[in-house]
Amino acid sequence: MSISRELLPTGFEALEPFIKNWAVVGAAERMQRRLDSTPQEREQFFRAGCDLVPSALELLDQKPLDEFDAQEQCLMRLVLSLAHVAQAVEIQGDDEAFHARYARYISITRASADFNP
């Protein structure tokens, strides 16, 4: 069994190649990863993950955040990163580079997704 497979719940193996770059902790880190990524990296991650979001949320909604095991935490981080990437892919599209230039001046100091009870 590969190391990355151990980091995700069964059924989410398609996201394994994206763990290193996208399963980051914190909203600021997710935004920075989005800003630093290429259009191709964002598109590949988005395409691999977008259809898995409903089943990921169904799995993650079964228990409180503070009861997630390591696999569920990793999946949650990927889903949160997908939300950032979806903004770039679905909304910004070709204008992402223009918006990213100014987004670099934004500092995320707190985010509700970063709350850890």
Side-chain angles (χ1 to χ4, degrees):
M1 184 179 298
S2 71
I3 293 171
S4 57
R5 171 145 304 145
E6 295 172 6
L7 293 177
L8 287 173
T10 302
F12 298 96
E13 293 82 4
L15 296 175
E16 287 180 10
F18 305 99
I19 292 172
K20 180 180 176 187
N21 289 327
W22 294 104
V24 296
V25 177
E29 290 298 320
R30 287 186 287 278
M31 183 177 85
Q32 191 60 52
R33 179 64 192 123
R34 171 186 161 192
L35 295 175
D36 292 343
S37 65
T38 67
Q40 294 80 16
E41 288 172 324
R42 291 188 300 270
E43 184 71 28
Q44 288 173 347
F45 179 45
F46 179 76
R47 295 290 164 224
C50 119
D51 290 339
L52 293 173
V53 169
S55 55
L57 293 177
E58 184 178 335
L59 174 82
L60 296 170
D61 281 346
Q62 292 179 18
K63 61 173 121 171
L65 291 171
D66 62 345
E67 293 180 14
F68 283 1
D69 62 24
Q71 292 177 337
E72 293 159 339
Q73 288 174 5
C74 184
L75 181 60
M76 178 60 125
R77 290 178 186 134
L78 288 170
V79 169
L80 290 169
S81 287
L82 273 166
H84 282 260
V85 170
Q87 171 76 18
V89 172
E90 292 184 321
I91 308 298
Q92 308 291 30
D94 292 338
D95 292 330
E96 172 66 5
F98 173 79
H99 292 284
R101 184 173 29 181
Y102 299 104
R104 294 184 188 283
Y105 295 104
I106 298 171
S107 294
I108 298 176
T109 57
R110 289 183 0 182
S112 58
D114 298 336
F115 177 70
N116 189 5

